């Protein structure tokens, strides 16, 4: 009695009867490819945590890409028989591809990422399989630019006159030669987000399709624009001189000295400020009225992927877990009790069984799961063993 677990792509279309009889569980599989015959042979096999299942008959070749891939006409014409395309990343279909070529060359597609193509191709691609991510469709005749672009004179000089451009994210925050813009730009299609200075709202909308219905952020003229979360400490705040600071995200505030925030920042605009009581008292008169405030004790320890907490914690902490947090058995629990002020959990916390109540007492908000290390075992019983594990691709 055996199990198959942690496989990226598992192809069981041609599995033999004697092997199928040995397998009692298939788990943690990204893509499972089956046939009518294999489904019958594995009908008593328990399947869990399978991302996508495809049922195919016969042998069909696959193209696998871990990362972004672009498909143009030349690439697809080089494929002799229809294929399955598996992409862990973004798939871009270039302008010279049409729906007939897609139907002739692509049997199925599974995209764990973003699909980017002309709007009139979206139906052809989506009918072929599954997109686990965003879908970005731009208008026919437009040139799609995938990078996050700052629209400035240098960028405009490299364009052909009367260009039609599509952007996922476009930033218009610098001075622009409007005569140059008029020469180079015919139309702009925004698929994701536009960041624009308020002083351009009278001149730019005529170039942007459906300007008043797109997702946009309007920032004050002269503001210092920061496009990601930041940690604002003594050193960074001193770099500003009465500026308006616009942060497209959250600000973690760590001010140790007695600083007059108004001397450096006139207005701080962001989605949220995370700080302690002292920091809030320093920065409160600089905050835009729509900024959310989160008061914490100590420093913020934020986990968005996987983190192991162990050893000595020598300073006060508030922990925000949005991934998997493993609290190790060799952690100094006296220091944990003393210095961890609270835990905000949106993910998974794994902790030794005899310490779980200590951890739960620290959890202020729990929108995730807390389990013991001893629970981190497979739910199979008896003498079952792992037959295959931790493989990118497996064909049985």
């Amino acid at each position: 009695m055996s199990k198959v677990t942690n496989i990226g792509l598992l192809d069981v279309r041609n599995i033999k009867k004697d092997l199928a009889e040995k397998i009692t569980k298939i788990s943690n599989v990204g893509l499972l490819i089956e046939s009518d015959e294999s489904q019958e042979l594995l009908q008593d096999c328990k399947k869990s945590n399978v991302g996508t299942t495809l049922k195919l008959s016969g042998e069909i070749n696959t193209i696998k890409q871990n990362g972004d891939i672009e498909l143009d006409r030349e690439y697809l014409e080089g494929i002799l028989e229809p294929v399955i395309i598996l992409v862990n990343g973004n798939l871009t279909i270039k302008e010279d591809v049409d729906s007939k070529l897609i139907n002739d060359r692509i049997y199925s597609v599974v995209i764990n990422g973003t699909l980017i193509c002309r709007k009139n191709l979206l139906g052809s691609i989506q009918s072929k399989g599954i997109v686990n991510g965003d879908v970005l469709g731009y208008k026919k005749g437009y040139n799609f630019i995938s990078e996050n672009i700052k629209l400035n004179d240098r960028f405009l000089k490299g364009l052909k006159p009367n260009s039609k451009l599509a952007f996922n994210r476009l930033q218009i925050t610098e001075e622009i030669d409007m005569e140059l813009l008029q020469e180079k730009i015919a139309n702009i299609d925004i698929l994701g987000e536009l960041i624009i200075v308020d002083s351009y709202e009278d001149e730019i909308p005529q170039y942007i399709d459906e300007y008043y219905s797109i997702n946009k952020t309007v920032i004050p003229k002269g503001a210092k624009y920061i496009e990601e979360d930041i940690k604002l400490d003594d050193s960074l705040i001193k770099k500003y001189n009465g500026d308006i600071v616009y942060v497209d995200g959250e600000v973690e505030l760590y001010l140790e000295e007695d600083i007059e925030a108004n001397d450096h920042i006139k207005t701080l605009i962001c989605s949220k400020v995370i700080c302690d009581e002292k920091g809030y008292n320093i920065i409160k008169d600089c905050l835009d009225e729509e900024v959310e405030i989160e008061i914490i004790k100590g420093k913020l320890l934020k986990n968005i992927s996987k983190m192991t907490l162990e050893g000595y914690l020598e300073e006060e902490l508030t922990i925000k877990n949005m991934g998997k947090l493993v609290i190790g058995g060799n952690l100094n629990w006296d220091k944990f009790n003393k210095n961890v002020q609270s835990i905000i959990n949106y993910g998974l916390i794994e902790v030794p069984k005899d310490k779980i109540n200590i951890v739960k007492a620290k959890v202020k908000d729990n929108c995730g799961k807390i389990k013991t290390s001893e629970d981190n075992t497979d739910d199979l019983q008896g003498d079952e063993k792992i037959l295959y594990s931790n493989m990118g691709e497996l064909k049985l």
Side-chain angles (χ1 to χ4, degrees):
M1 310 298 283
S2 302
K3 61 183 176 179
V4 178
T5 184
N6 297 332
I7 309 294
L9 185 156
L10 178 60
D11 186 346
V12 297
R13 284 175 291 176
N14 298 314
I15 191 169
K16 302 300 182 184
K17 182 179 179 180
D18 58 344
L19 179 57
E21 290 174 346
K22 295 178 183 178
I23 299 174
T24 53
K25 181 173 183 180
I26 293 173
S27 65
N28 301 328
V29 173
L31 173 64
L32 176 64
I33 302 178
E34 299 179 304
S35 63
D36 288 332
E37 294 79 8
S38 70
Q39 283 187 333
E40 183 176 348
L41 290 172
L42 293 167
Q43 60 181 326
D44 295 327
C45 174
K46 181 180 179 181
K47 301 180 183 71
S48 63
N49 296 326
V50 176
T52 303
T53 300
L54 289 180
K55 187 168 75 170
L56 306 174
S57 58
E59 290 294 331
I60 298 177
N61 291 326
T62 60
I63 294 174
K64 298 173 287 295
Q65 175 71 23
N66 288 315
D68 298 345
I69 185 173
E70 294 184 347
L71 302 183
D72 58 15
R73 174 167 287 274
E74 184 176 4
Y75 184 99
L76 290 175
E77 285 179 342
I79 299 172
L80 301 180
E81 298 289 341
V83 297
I84 303 169
I85 298 178
L86 311 172
V87 182
N88 290 312
N90 299 331
L91 174 63
T92 301
I93 309 294
K94 301 299 286 186
E95 181 72 19
D96 59 355
V97 175
D98 57 30
S99 58
K100 183 178 185 306
L101 191 57
I102 290 172
N103 288 326
D104 289 345
R105 297 298 195 273
I106 299 177
Y107 182 90
S108 185
V109 61
V110 178
I111 306 168
N112 294 311
T114 301
L115 169 63
I116 303 163
C117 65
R118 297 198 315 271
K119 286 183 177 179
N120 62 348
L121 296 180
L122 286 176
S124 297
I125 293 292
Q126 290 178 290
S127 67
K128 293 287 184 178
I130 298 172
V131 181
N132 296 313
D134 295 330
V135 174
L136 301 178
Y138 59 91
K139 297 175 182 176
K140 186 176 181 179
Y142 285 62
N143 182 28
F144 177 75
I145 299 177
S146 58
E147 295 85 1
N148 292 335
I149 294 296
K150 291 183 179 180
L151 191 67
N152 52 31
D153 292 349
R154 182 179 178 181
F155 175 78
L156 290 171
K157 288 174 182 178
L159 299 177
K160 295 178 181 179
N162 298 314
S163 295
K164 291 186 175 182
L165 304 176
F167 300 91
N168 183 31
R169 191 172 188 271
L170 180 64
Q171 183 177 326
I172 308 177
T173 56
E174 300 182 16
E175 292 290 334
I176 299 174
D177 182 337
M178 293 307 298
E179 291 185 1
L180 181 62
L181 178 72
Q182 184 177 10
E183 175 192 348
K184 296 290 188 175
I185 298 292
N187 295 88
I188 293 174
D189 188 14
I190 303 295
L191 309 182
E193 181 185 18
L194 171 68
I195 297 97
I196 186 171
V197 175
D198 57 8
S199 58
Y200 280 125
E201 281 214 288
D202 292 332
E203 301 172 281
I204 294 294
Q206 61 180 307
Y207 298 97
I208 299 178
D209 299 345
E210 302 173 2
Y211 176 81
Y212 292 102
S213 63
I214 63 173
N215 179 25
K216 59 182 173 290
T217 298
V218 181
I219 66 175
K221 182 179 181 180
K224 304 292 185 181
Y225 178 76
I226 303 170
E227 54 185 303
E228 58 187 0
D229 298 348
I230 65 168
K231 294 182 179 180
L232 188 61
D233 56 17
D234 294 347
S235 176
L236 182 56
I237 197 172
K238 290 176 181 177
K239 293 181 179 180
Y240 299 113
N241 185 24
D243 296 310
I244 298 173
V245 178
Y246 193 108
V247 179
D248 195 359
E250 297 180 354
V251 175
E252 293 177 33
L253 191 67
Y254 301 108
L255 299 179
E256 302 293 340
E257 301 178 5
D258 291 328
I259 290 178
E260 292 293 333
N262 284 320
D263 293 342
H264 304 283
I265 295 178
K266 179 181 179 181
T267 306
L268 175 61
I269 305 171
C270 59
S271 60
K272 178 190 286 188
V273 168
I274 303 169
C275 60
D276 57 17
E277 288 283 358
K278 177 183 177 182
Y280 173 69
N281 289 329
I282 293 173
I283 203 73
K284 63 181 180 180
D285 293 335
C286 305
L287 299 179
D288 182 75
E289 61 182 12
E290 295 186 2
V291 175
E292 181 183 349
I293 308 298
E294 183 177 342
I295 304 294
I296 64 171
K297 293 183 179 180
K299 288 190 174 182
L300 178 67
L301 180 63
K302 183 161 59 175
N303 174 43
I304 59 174
S305 56
K306 182 177 180 180
M307 177 186 292
T308 299
L309 200 64
E310 54 190 358
Y312 287 80
L313 305 177
E314 298 291 357
E315 57 185 348
E316 287 191 341
L317 296 172
T318 291
I319 299 173
K320 179 178 284 189
N321 177 47
M322 295 176 286
K324 180 179 180 180
L325 177 63
V326 179
I327 301 182
N330 65 344
L331 180 71
N332 185 297
W333 290 95
D334 289 336
K335 291 288 187 180
F336 178 89
N337 266 327
K338 178 182 177 182
N339 289 327
V340 174
Q341 303 301 308
S342 63
I343 298 174
I344 303 165
N345 182 39
Y346 294 96
L348 170 65
I349 299 176
E350 186 178 299
V351 62
K353 187 174 183 179
D354 61 334
K355 306 295 184 184
I356 193 167
N357 289 332
I358 298 175
V359 173
K360 285 184 174 180
K362 295 288 186 179
V363 176
K364 181 176 71 173
D365 295 310
N366 184 27
C367 299
K369 182 178 180 181
I370 303 172
K371 71 173 187 177
T372 68
S373 306
E374 290 76 4
D375 290 333
N376 194 32
T377 58
D378 202 277
D379 59 1
L380 291 169
Q381 302 296 321
D383 58 355
E384 292 163 331
K385 63 181 181 179
I386 294 175
L387 187 61
Y388 296 101
S389 178
N390 300 323
M391 301 175 68
E393 180 179 350
L394 176 63
K395 189 172 183 179
L396 298 177

